[in-house]
Amino acid sequence: MKAVPKVKSFEDGSKMWEECFEEFTVKVYIPESNLPKDIVNFGFRAPYLMIFEEKSQTWEEAKQYADSNGFAKIAGEYAGSVCFFYPEQSAEGWKGADKNLFASILSQSRISQYYGDGYAITYDRFAKKMGDCFIRGAVLRTYLYAKGEAADYVAANCLKTIQGDGLYGKGDITPVCCTLEGLSIVPELERRDLPVVSVGNSEEVNDVLRKETDHLLIRERAEYEKDFREFVGTYRRMMGHLEKEPDLEAMGMKVEPSFCVVTTTPDNRGDDRDTTSHSIGYVAYYKKDIMRDGRKVPLLMCFHGSGDSAMCMASLSGWTLVARKYDFLLVSVENHLNSTATETMELIEHLKTVYNIDEQRIYASGFSMGGCKSWDLFQEYPEKFAAVAPMDATFDVGLNASGEPAPHVNRSTMLPVFYAGGEITPLPELPFQELKCLNRMKYVCQVNQTDIQSLAEFDRQELWEDPIWSVRGNYRIELVNRERENSVLTLNLFTTGKDHCYCIFACVGNQGHEVRYHTCENAWKFLSDFRRLPDGRIEGGDLDRVLAMYRDN
């Protein structure tokens, strides 16, 4: 879509719009929601409820269908929408629909930091230019609902591995879960990790499904809301891998979306650059009893990737589960690229007034562009943190996350670093991929005074001691990553003096541009060993203790 769709409002506060694409027409219904959706982006957390209409409905019919069957209630709880699809361009309806319709839909779907009522708007941050509009929906939570001929279409074309426009470029976009009602054909599944809800189907159909999928729910009649809460919505798919969605509330976690107002600094190059002050949204995660009796807890500031969101970063990275296991306060910052390092420090001061934070144990981590924001803090405010864990991205030394010269570049204040990247990433994350990554590694080694600071030449990789890092650390530890087949987290420990370790450079086998629980947990083990003392010195990093914490894995 080249322009924002024309949105109609209903008397109950809900909204709807319609758009015709080459292979399909979509009606997007947005129920009323009381969530702070203008401050916190719920897009990645919201289910992408995709209803393949048996017959094309009017707006009023679609609204009634969503309201009466519980879809509107589900969407409203996540500030999401209900999307109705029909192949209007096919004279035979679903029988003549394009076999690649699902991939076509996802090519017109996005989650962005810029969004409105059921639509997302792309933005080129460096060109500072708004792009096209898309249906607002996350590829990792695509839930298909189909009945009759539409169900036959899904059974014939969607119960298999589908390649298309994924979260970070081309990849596996297989649906997360399909609800099929009233099938007239026997489906053939091409992969066992595709959950199916079978509604009112024959015993022949159900017998085939029992044999071909490891995730099956059989119903005589549709119970959409109940099935979503107990089965459908418990799944998500990241980079093609099916996962269970943790129920944080049931696990004793509090999830608190909020915001604070900060003073806009002169180096702000985001949307609020011409203001005197602006709001920074965030989501705090912590165990319900963690701060009982005034107990002070560590704080980890978490920064998402470009086009990503606070909730997505906290959830998909696994940081929420790490926070639960190790008893710290996790604060995931919303749309952090619109804020500077200085403004982030003002946010931290605000958080100190809300939560009981141990000021000696403040840490930061980020993924992709969030990794760059973590590097901003290393460069500009190293004395305020005990340790940082940037992941999966870096800019040239001296540049900030806006790609411009940083107001200050740390050259002497030691700040422990755990850096990690995927070995098969398509983006420049690791030293063998781009010179800036090698230069960043050298910079960190110099600031933290590691025993190894002389790295190899970038253009002489055939002479590198280590094919990824150029040189091996003083110690090397390999940790099996049980989250993914054939994946090993390799840690290169760089020592400072004979008995301290302030730098770990890690890479994850069989992993692309992403960050997962196993890496975050091991990052936290390292980070949490450090404290920034009142006199500015770093405490922690005893080499024997660091080695023991990983060798005991």
Side-chain angles (χ1 to χ4, degrees):
M1 297 183 288
K2 296 298 182 183
V4 171
K6 296 180 180 179
V7 181
K8 172 185 176 180
S9 297
F10 295 98
E11 291 183 0
D12 62 359
S14 61
K15 301 176 182 179
M16 184 176 284
W17 55 267
E18 184 172 357
E19 189 73 23
C20 182
F21 294 91
E22 186 176 347
E23 293 89 4
F24 63 90
T25 296
V26 61
K27 290 185 287 289
V28 178
Y29 175 55
I30 309 98
E32 178 70 356
S33 176
N34 295 322
L35 293 173
K37 58 185 179 181
D38 294 332
I39 300 173
V40 175
N41 185 349
F42 290 83
F44 272 101
R45 186 64 187 88
Y48 193 176
L49 301 173
M50 309 174 72
I51 299 175
F52 283 14
E53 299 178 293
E54 186 175 15
K55 301 292 182 184
S56 181
Q57 302 178 91
T58 65
W59 285 23
E60 289 71 19
E61 289 171 338
K63 171 178 165 50
Q64 172 62 26
Y65 186 87
D67 290 343
S68 61
N69 285 292
F71 291 109
K73 185 175 181 181
I74 295 168
E77 291 176 0
Y78 298 90
S81 55
V82 187
C83 300
F84 296 85
F85 298 92
Y86 190 76
E88 297 274 8
Q89 298 76 356
S90 167
E92 299 178 278
W94 287 107
K95 291 182 179 179
D98 191 297
K99 293 181 179 180
N100 299 312
L101 182 67
F102 180 75
S104 296
I105 291 173
L106 287 197
S107 71
Q108 297 295 336
S109 304
R110 291 284 190 282
I111 293 297
S112 170
Q113 294 165 344
Y114 300 90
Y115 57 91
D117 294 315
Y119 60 85
I121 310 173
T122 56
Y123 177 65
D124 186 327
R125 185 166 298 278
F126 297 105
K128 295 180 173 56
K129 181 179 179 182
M130 303 303 293
D132 292 344
C133 293
F134 293 84
I135 306 164
R136 192 168 184 235
V139 62
L140 68 157
R141 291 192 173 86
T142 52
Y143 307 114
L144 271 62
Y145 295 86
K147 184 177 182 179
E149 289 186 1
D152 288 346
Y153 172 87
V154 172
N157 299 285
C158 301
L159 303 182
K160 60 183 181 181
T161 298
I162 300 177
Q163 298 290 326
D165 293 318
L167 190 57
Y168 301 111
K170 297 293 182 181
D172 187 333
I173 60 169
T174 303
V176 178
C177 183
C178 298
T179 297
L180 305 177
E181 186 173 357
L183 285 168
S184 65
I185 65 172
V186 177
E188 294 183 14
L189 279 78
E190 295 183 9
R191 53 192 297 170
R192 300 196 61 82
D193 67 336
L194 212 167
V196 174
V197 181
S198 175
V199 180
N201 291 312
S202 68
E203 195 58 27
E204 180 186 9
V205 167
N206 291 334
D207 281 344
V208 169
L209 292 173
R210 289 187 185 99
K211 295 175 182 177
E212 296 188 356
T213 178
D214 294 329
H215 312 274
L216 176 64
L217 177 64
I218 297 175
R219 295 289 196 195
E220 286 296 321
R221 59 183 181 81
E223 298 181 72
Y224 300 118
E225 186 179 345
K226 178 181 179 181
D227 293 348
F228 179 85
R229 302 188 191 287
E230 297 180 0
F231 184 81
V232 176
T234 66
Y235 295 100
R236 66 188 184 197
R237 193 181 298 281
M238 183 65 178
M239 303 295 188
H241 298 274
L242 186 71
E243 303 173 356
K244 294 290 285 186
E245 184 77 56
D247 187 339
L248 295 179
E249 185 173 346
M251 297 167 70
M253 293 284 286
K254 290 185 74 69
V255 181
E256 294 180 344
S258 190
F259 72 99
C260 84
V261 178
V262 301
T263 301
T264 305
T265 59
D267 58 323
N268 189 305
R269 297 295 180 268
D271 297 339
D272 302 302
R273 58 188 176 275
D274 296 325
T275 65
T276 56
S277 64
H278 66 277
S279 296
I280 301 180
Y282 64 87
V283 186
Y285 301 85
Y286 59 96
K287 280 167 61 173
K288 293 179 180 178
D289 61 349
I290 192 175
M291 286 174 270
R292 63 186 180 279
D293 303 324
R295 175 188 172 196
K296 289 186 177 294
V297 296
L299 165 66
L300 176 72
M301 300 295 290
C302 184
F303 304 99
H304 59 73
S306 179
D308 204 327
S309 72
M311 283 189 159
C312 180
M313 173 61 189
S315 174
L316 294 185
S317 66
W319 272 122
T320 53
L321 301 181
V322 179
R324 178 179 181 270
K325 181 175 180 179
Y326 292 95
D327 290 346
F328 63 87
L329 169 65
L330 173 70
V331 173
S332 192
V333 184
E334 192 70 82
N335 209 0
H336 64 85
L337 293 176
N338 274 339
S339 301
T340 65
T342 301
E343 293 162 3
T344 301
M345 298 311 302
E346 187 174 347
L347 168 61
I348 291 175
E349 291 303 311
H350 163 78
L351 294 172
K352 291 178 183 177
T353 68
V354 179
Y355 301 104
N356 295 326
I357 294 171
D358 183 345
E359 295 190 33
Q360 295 184 20
R361 303 189 67 196
I362 299 177
Y363 312 92
S365 183
F367 162 70
S368 194
M369 286 300 289
C372 294
K373 176 54 67 72
S374 302
W375 286 126
D376 284 359
L377 301 175
F378 181 95
Q379 291 184 153
E380 298 185 43
Y381 290 94
E383 73 282 359
K384 299 296 185 181
F385 294 87
V388 294
M391 297 187 188
D392 303 276
T394 184
F395 276 0
D396 288 308
V397 175
L399 298 184
N400 60 24
S402 297
E404 299 192 357
H408 172 72
V409 180
N410 172 32
R411 297 291 180 182
S412 59
T413 301
M414 297 176 69
L415 179 58
V417 169
F418 184 107
Y419 180 79
E423 292 183 11
I424 57 174
T425 172
L427 301 178
E429 302 177 14
L430 300 169
F432 78 94
Q433 295 173 307
E434 277 199 15
L435 177 60
K436 66 181 180 182
C437 301
L438 185 65
N439 287 340
R440 176 68 67 167
M441 180 182 175
K442 182 178 180 180
Y443 162 65
V444 173
C445 286
Q446 290 172 342
V447 172
N448 285 340
Q449 302 175 26
T450 67
D451 298 324
I452 300 175
Q453 295 184 19
S454 179
L455 305 184
E457 298 280 343
F458 179 77
D459 57 0
R460 299 295 301 276
Q461 294 191 23
E462 72 277 5
L463 301 179
W464 282 18
E465 176 187 16
D466 184 283
I468 292 177
W469 302 103
S470 83
V471 297
R472 290 193 173 211
N474 303 89
Y475 296 88
R476 182 182 176 95
I477 298 174
E478 294 184 351
L479 305 175
V480 175
N481 179 8
R482 293 181 175 83
E483 294 179 302
R484 181 161 301 174
E485 187 178 355
N486 301 321
S487 181
V488 172
L489 174 66
T490 302
L491 309 180
N492 279 279
L493 281 64
F494 286 70
T495 59
T496 298
K498 295 182 179 179
D499 52 7
H500 283 86
C501 175
Y502 297 133
C503 292
I504 293 182
F505 295 100
C507 48
V508 191
N510 196 29
Q511 181 170 296
H513 189 60
E514 53 185 308
V515 58
R516 309 311 295 271
Y517 175 89
H518 184 258
T519 303
C520 293
E521 181 180 26
N522 283 290
W524 176 253
K525 289 180 179 180
F526 183 70
L527 299 182
S528 62
D529 191 58
F530 296 96
R531 286 167 173 75
R532 177 71 68 178
L533 301 179
D535 62 6
R537 291 183 298 113
I538 282 290
E539 179 182 81
D542 178 83
L543 179 59
D544 290 338
R545 186 168 60 248
V546 173
L547 290 171
M549 74 173 64
Y550 292 118
R551 286 176 174 166
D552 291 343
N553 259 19

